[in-house]
Amino acid sequence: MKLRTLLLSASLLSALATFPSTLCLAQAPVAQTPPMGWNSWNYFADKVTDKDIRGAADQLVATGMKDAGYIYVNIDDTWEGERDASGVLHTNSKFPDMKALADYVHSKGLKIGIYSGPGTKTCGGYAGSLGHEQQDADLYASWGFDYLKYDLCSFTPDVMEKQAPHDKAAQMKLMIAAYEKMSKALKAATAKTGRPIVFSLCQYGWDSPWEWAPELGGNSWRTTGDIEAHWQSIYDIVSQQSGLESYSGPGHWNDPDMLEVGNGKMSLAENRTHFTWWAILAAPLLAGNDLPNMKPEIKAILTNKDVIAINQDSLGKQGKRAYSDGEVEVWTRELQGGAKAIAIVNVGSDRTSNHPFHLNLEKAGLSGEATGKDLWTGKEVKLTNNMPIELDSHDVLLVRVDHAM
Ligand code: GLA
């Protein structure tokens, strides 16, 4: 045998010997529509335990939320323990066995998510992934995780301000590189398992993540600071979304933060409007409420199939505020097949009868009268030019018009 052939055969044999571990498995694309699920932070915050996550998985199934599309059960911050001498991160006592927990969630036909950050510490002061990115990505993959929320927090003081003080451009480079590092680590880890991991960037919308996150493999990125369970917070967040529409699309979504539907003291109208906006904005729908004690009217909002269909529309085109008139805002979203969603929201604190509102069809993107479905009542509605629309404070009329003109 010639030397060259011999060498070739030897390298072929050695490649075959390592075949199972070096095999790159083809991965299904993720987040082709905005991810849907539940996350522990908005209700449990730092109190979340293994039992709560199992309970959430059980409830997603029992309430019909799973059937409505809520698939991811995401553990937020405060699961982390200490690193051992080899740098391997362990869980704390609230999460005795992550692999068993992931198996349990998977056994319900659901997927499971986890949380970390690029700094030394997470926002809650637990161990971050700095310097251990590949080790952590491999760990999540070995446990069977399907989703990672990666939260900036201590990376700012620990790395950006230390390594590049007062140099905004250099700080940005460091931050982007940190997210890219984890994105690559996840890709390497999942190439071995074949189980893709959704990569969700949490960086509060500082430094326009919509401009750089999609390129490095981000499936979503927070566009704002933390949401709170009251109208003002929801409205402030929504008011910051204009102009971001073009950055969002299948596989990569603007994320105005997790849902507060069912939390705090919001009225039913406010909960409906909050959910409507997240549908129009093509936002990830990550419920954050107390599932075992969910009221029927909250379940009805979260599982409204017509509204979810707006959120999950396959065109993947984020909607926008078309116009506002006094204290009424008209939001629109283009849907697959030429359909349209039109949301008319009374953002004021008075009923519109005190400040009459008349719909302007042209400004709402309709070229003529249209008949559609009121997605919160299920009734047919006819939209005509100048028609008066009466809404309670913070309430919404959401209409789907198929075959819009
Ligand atoms: C930040 C994030 C929140 C949550 C907490 C956890 O504040 O924005 O969504 O993850 O950290 O500590």
Side-chain angles (χ1 to χ4, degrees), residues 11-12 38 43 83 91 105 115 173 182 264 282 318 330 395:
S11 61
L12 190 68
W38 177 92
Y43 181 73
R83 290 190 188 276
T91 54
V105 171
Y115 168 101
K173 272 196 182 155
M182 182 47 94
Q318 180 176 327
V330 178
D395 210 347

Side-chain angles (χ1 to χ4, degrees), residues 224-239:
T224 62
D226 287 12
I227 196 167
E228 290 169 19
H230 55 82
W231 171 262
Q232 198 54 48
S233 168
I234 311 286
Y235 186 59
D236 285 349
I237 285 182
V238 160
S239 305

Side-chain angles (χ1 to χ4, degrees), residues 28-268:
V30 290
Q32 292 305 292
T33 58
M36 290 179 69
W38 177 92
N39 172 295
S40 59
W41 186 255
N42 284 355
Y43 181 73
F44 290 103
D46 58 343
K47 306 279 184 302
V48 67
T49 64
D50 173 290
K51 193 166 163 263
D52 300 324
I53 298 297
R54 285 170 194 257
D58 294 345
Q59 290 301 317
L60 286 181
V61 175
T63 57
M65 284 179 71
K66 177 191 160 201
D67 290 341
Y70 296 85
I71 290 298
Y72 291 96
V73 184
N74 291 351
I75 308 168
D76 208 278
D77 201 359
T78 81
W79 63 267
E80 309 87 339
E82 302 296 324
R83 290 190 188 276
D84 63 22
S86 330
V88 176
L89 184 59
H90 293 265
T91 54
N92 61 42
S93 58
K94 297 190 294 152
F95 290 89
D97 187 342
M98 272 309 196
K99 173 84 176 71
L101 178 56
D103 288 348
Y104 182 79
V105 171
H106 289 147
S107 76
K108 303 272 158 188
L110 297 162
K111 295 181 189 292
I112 185 163
I114 199 159
Y115 168 101
S116 188
T120 54
K121 297 263 180 254
T122 64
C123 294
Y126 291 73
S129 292
L130 185 65
H132 297 275
E133 292 82 359
Q134 191 61 60
Q135 210 168 17
D136 287 358
D138 288 341
L139 183 67
Y140 312 145
S142 75
W143 283 335
F145 275 83
D146 307 281
Y147 188 114
L148 172 69
K149 171 173 169 182
Y150 208 48
D151 194 352
L152 189 69
C153 257
S154 81
F155 190 79
T156 312
D158 288 355
V159 178
M160 288 156 71
E161 279 160 19
K162 272 201 189 123
Q163 289 185 22
H166 316 299
D167 186 344
K168 187 77 200 146
Q171 290 188 352
M172 275 282 289
K173 272 196 182 155
L174 286 167
M175 183 182 57
I176 294 172
Y179 278 101
E180 193 162 20
K181 194 165 194 181
M182 182 47 94
S183 177
K184 285 190 172 149
L186 290 176
K187 287 209 175 78
T190 56
K192 290 180 222 153
T193 62
R195 177 187 282 281
I197 296 183
V198 171
F199 188 36
S200 154
L201 280 72
C202 179
Q203 184 264 351
Y204 335 114
W206 298 345
D207 308 305
S208 314
W210 41 88
E211 285 176 358
W212 47 266
E215 268 165 57
L216 59 80
N219 298 118
S220 68
W221 48 86
R222 281 271 296 278
T223 55
T224 62
D226 287 12
I227 196 167
E228 290 169 19
H230 55 82
W231 171 262
Q232 198 54 48
S233 168
I234 311 286
Y235 186 59
D236 285 349
I237 285 182
V238 160
S239 305
Q240 295 169 51
Q241 306 309 307
S242 283
L244 303 186
E245 309 79 68
S246 62
Y247 296 98
S248 175
H252 51 96
W253 307 99
N254 286 313
D255 173 10
D257 207 354
M258 304 169 295
L259 292 164
E260 292 282 16
V261 173
N263 287 339
K265 295 191 171 72
M266 285 190 286
S267 67
L268 270 186

